[in-house]
Amino acid sequence: MAIEKQSDKLKSVFLPFLSTSHIIPLVDMARLFALHGVDVTIVTTKHNSTIFQNSIDLDSTRGRPIRTHIVEFPASKVGLPVGVESFNVNTPREMTPKIYMGLAILQPQIERLFEDLHADFIVTDMFYPWSVDAAAKLGIPRIMFHGASYLARSAAHSVEQYAPHLKVESDTDTFVIPDLPDRLEMSRLQLPDWLRSPNQYTELMKVIKESEKRSYGSLFNSFYELESDYYDHYKRVIGTKSWGIGPVSLWANQDASDKAARGYAKGEKEGKEEEGWLKWLNSKPDGSVLYVSFGSMNKFPYSQLVEIAHALEDSGHCFIWVVRKNDGEGGVFLEEFEKRVRESERGYLIWGWAPQLLILENPAIGGLVSHCGWNTVVESVNAGLPMVTWPLFAEHFFNEKLVVDVLGIGVPVGAKEWRNWNEFGSEVVKREEIRKAIALLMGGGEEDAAMRGRTKALSGAAKGAIQPGGSSYNNMVELIQELMSSNFPSFNREIITESSLFLSNFHL
Ligand code: UDP
């Protein structure tokens, strides 16, 4: 019997974190469970639901058992303006602790919801370690969502265990990350601050790791063929169950309507902008255009925008650049730049949010300049596109290692310094470095051809992974079957109160 026919009694609650790039893949995962017949309720706040409600509405019209349950964010209780309830590119730094406080206030209400909604299991973001105890109280499994790659989690674990960064003299000396399947080198400056020297976030990551160990298992937006050595390594060193069910963007967004709806608030995308980019892209030869984007959380200072603009203009290649102005700074420069490159038909600027999935699958796109956000890495692999790697924050520098050193599908721009997502940092990558990396990526030389061959092979593997019999497909079906067949009344009853601690001053 098809899994959808058997799983209709299984009820689940999904709880995404309040940031776009954690919401997008976890909602895609929730939609995949509904696609397989599992009853799904996604719990979030009103503002955050606007990011994905279009997709849920589309799934509902397809008869899938999925819905959103809104909880009201206690903005006034924590002194925030109404609507500020997510960690995104426009969230003022000083407001982030208040958003955490709001989440802490919501915690008991969400716990009650798990019970009221009769969840048989919950899938919650890594940033909700308390939910493992909430699940334990109910005797149901908690599955944790990891926003990162297997390589990134393995590398962070290795640095925590062996502290190789303390054995080099300077911040720029390189060290090998110990006990990994490949010889990967990086410098202290490229490590996230919480790994470099302990801070509050280090404590939070410990709590998260403990909660992972006590969870039923964890879900990754990855697929076996993409990082098989790290998939096996991670399971071995961490000792928990985990399932790679990616690329979730490919699997959950099969129609153009799904791809177009992704990440837009209702009614927001009735713009001419979208048609503009599509018309422009369709006028370009196959593989000739570079897609330049730095994800959902980044804003560059004017000094860096100028370097990127010049590099793109000097590169001689066509490009689509997703840009965010920084408080008006550089407005005139960018407007003049936009006018110039539109007139010459060399470039197209998208302000704010781009329909990334649709753009990446357009045949005119030949490569990316990317910050190595994990979702974008998986999406570009799926689209068969190599990239210029320009890591910025979070676990991007580890992802760069996978793309460049392990898979051989990227050209590094040479970024040297990790920074926080809401800081500019001191590094400005110069136009010449950017131009050189673009030339290698788009130059059509022997190395480029080899890189493109590897990327195409991985793209084929991505598509195979979600087909019946593929690695991600099998993982998904096995997990649902396990959840259906198991009786969990006494699951994980032990409650460790430390992991319920809600620490309120973290950055992502
Ligand atoms: N994204 C998009 N349009 C944009 C920026 C981002 O559709 O203009 C999507 C992208 O497809 C990906 C996610 O947002 O799924 C960004 O996640 P990623 O891990 O790549 O980077 P982050 O935003 O965490 O830096």
Side-chain angles (χ1 to χ4, degrees):
M1 203 194 296
I3 190 100
E4 305 87 77
K5 293 271 178 299
Q6 303 167 37
S7 55
D8 60 354
K9 297 266 176 338
L10 206 54
K11 281 188 191 301
S12 64
V13 172
F14 281 67
L15 183 64
F17 192 57
L18 307 187
S19 79
T20 308
S21 59
H22 279 239
I23 290 173
I24 284 182
L26 187 52
V27 166
D28 277 348
M29 286 180 181
R31 295 173 60 214
L32 288 176
F33 276 79
L35 175 71
H36 286 85
V38 175
D39 186 275
V40 172
T41 303
I42 302 172
V43 173
T44 193
T45 65
K46 188 158 188 283
H47 173 80
N48 285 289
S49 75
T50 59
I51 297 170
F52 62 86
Q53 193 55 43
N54 278 329
S55 308
I56 303 306
D57 292 347
L58 279 169
D59 283 354
S60 293
T61 60
R62 296 168 177 135
R64 295 187 194 149
I66 187 164
R67 68 208 68 80
T68 310
H69 183 104
I70 304 287
V71 288
E72 194 181 333
F73 189 78
S76 58
K77 282 194 188 144
V78 294
L80 281 173
V82 174
V84 179
E85 52 193 54
S86 64
F87 302 92
N88 66 33
V89 70
N90 295 317
T91 311
R93 237 179 118 83
E94 67 281 5
M95 291 190 184
T96 58
K98 293 184 178 177
I99 301 175
Y100 277 111
M101 274 160 59
L103 268 174
I105 292 173
L106 281 178
Q107 186 181 318
Q109 188 184 338
I110 296 174
E111 282 197 40
R112 273 196 305 280
L113 268 179
F114 295 151
E115 191 165 10
D116 295 348
L117 294 168
H118 306 290
D120 294 309
F121 68 97
I122 59 172
V123 183
T124 63
D125 194 280
M126 59 188 270
F127 286 112
Y128 300 120
W130 55 266
S131 63
V132 75
D133 290 327
K137 282 184 213 157
L138 297 172
I140 58 172
R142 180 247 183 163
I143 297 172
M144 185 174 109
F145 165 62
H146 256 302
S149 58
Y150 280 103
L151 182 146
R153 296 303 313 136
S154 303
H157 179 73
S158 165
V159 174
E160 282 170 310
Q161 294 284 107
Y162 301 104
H165 58 299
L166 301 181
K167 295 169 192 151
V168 286
E169 301 262 307
S170 80
D171 281 350
T172 48
D173 284 353
T174 57
F175 55 85
V176 175
I177 309 172
D179 189 34
L180 290 186
D182 298 283
R183 186 186 160 84
L184 304 179
E185 284 182 45
M186 61 196 301
S187 75
R188 200 145 65 202
L189 265 190
Q190 294 174 321
L191 283 180
D193 61 353
W194 65 271
L195 279 172
R196 242 180 274 171
S197 48
N199 60 19
Q200 277 187 310
Y201 196 80
T202 318
E203 288 308 306
L204 176 64
M205 290 307 278
K206 272 191 201 146
V207 174
I208 289 173
K209 210 182 222 175
E210 275 315 301
S211 87
E212 178 179 14
K213 288 190 177 148
R214 296 176 48 246
S215 296
Y216 186 67
S218 44
L219 283 172
F220 283 75
N221 177 20
S222 187
F223 59 99
Y224 188 72
E225 295 76 3
L226 181 61
E227 39 173 359
S228 50
D229 288 348
Y230 292 87
Y231 192 104
D232 295 335
H233 175 84
Y234 186 76
K235 283 191 178 185
R236 189 168 52 76
V237 297
I238 304 290
T240 52
K241 285 190 178 198
S242 84
W243 304 268
I245 57 167
V248 296
S249 61
L250 168 70
W251 202 353
N253 301 285
Q254 303 273 338
D255 294 349
S257 56
D258 290 312
K259 290 171 196 154
R262 203 157 172 265
Y264 284 102
K266 251 184 163 4
E268 188 191 336
K269 71 177 196 62
E270 279 97 46
K272 301 116 224 149
E273 188 70 12
E274 188 189 3
E275 284 163 28
W277 69 259
L278 188 58
K279 210 161 141 202
W280 183 84
L281 211 45
N282 285 342
S283 73
K284 300 294 173 196
D286 285 2
S288 65
V289 179
L290 197 60
Y291 174 66
V292 185
S293 172
F294 298 90
S296 66
M297 307 280 285
N298 180 58
K299 255 187 200 174
F300 278 128
Y302 175 55
S303 53
Q304 185 63 82
L305 291 174
V306 170
E307 294 302 313
I308 297 173
H310 282 298
L312 291 174
E313 227 173 352
D314 297 348
S315 75
H317 295 285
C318 291
F319 58 88
I320 284 195
W321 181 15
V322 188
V323 209
R324 292 194 189 97
K325 275 185 218 163
N326 179 29
D327 298 333
E329 206 195 1
V332 175
F333 170 82
L334 284 172
E335 273 158 33
E336 283 171 3
F337 173 77
E338 181 178 30
K339 192 161 171 275
R340 209 162 56 236
V341 296
R342 274 227 191 173
E343 273 167 14
S344 64
E345 304 210 340
R346 279 278 318 290
Y348 198 101
L349 270 59
I350 295 184
W351 297 96
W353 189 260
Q356 183 160 305
L357 294 185
L358 284 176
I359 293 178
L360 291 184
E361 72 174 24
N362 191 292
I365 299 291
L368 287 79
V369 177
S370 168
H371 67 313
C372 301
W374 181 238
N375 298 301
T376 297
V377 171
V378 178
E379 288 159 21
S380 57
V381 161
N382 173 44
L385 296 166
M387 64 175 76
V388 167
T389 56
W390 185 334
L392 299 169
F393 49 87
E395 80 294 357
H396 301 164
F397 280 90
F398 293 138
N399 293 341
E400 178 181 54
K401 295 287 149 200
L402 178 71
V403 171
V404 176
D405 297 349
V406 179
L407 300 173
I409 58 168
V411 179
V413 80
K416 291 183 180 55
E417 193 179 330
W418 185 97
R419 61 181 175 79
N420 274 312
W421 65 276
N422 50 9
E423 283 168 2
F424 287 151
S426 57
E427 184 177 18
V428 174
V429 180
K430 296 289 176 216
R431 65 192 75 173
E432 189 47 31
E433 300 305 315
I434 309 169
R435 200 196 55 75
K436 264 197 245 161
I438 293 175
L440 280 173
L441 184 84
M442 302 292 278
E446 238 174 70
E447 264 182 53
D448 184 21
M451 191 161 61
R452 282 174 194 280
R454 288 189 287 271
T455 321
K456 289 275 176 277
L458 280 172
S459 168
K463 291 176 176 56
I466 64 157
Q467 295 300 322
S471 56
S472 294
Y473 183 93
N474 286 348
N475 277 344
M476 186 75 182
V477 170
E478 274 165 27
L479 172 57
I480 294 176
Q481 265 162 354
E482 254 184 58
L483 291 166
M484 278 189 305
S485 62
S486 305
N487 186 3
F488 292 108
S490 60
F491 180 80
N492 191 20
R493 282 272 183 210
E494 186 200 356
I495 296 168
I496 298 176
T497 42
E498 281 83 351
S499 72
S500 309
L501 283 177
F502 205 94
L503 307 162
S504 59
N505 266 325
F506 301 109
H507 50 74
L508 282 179

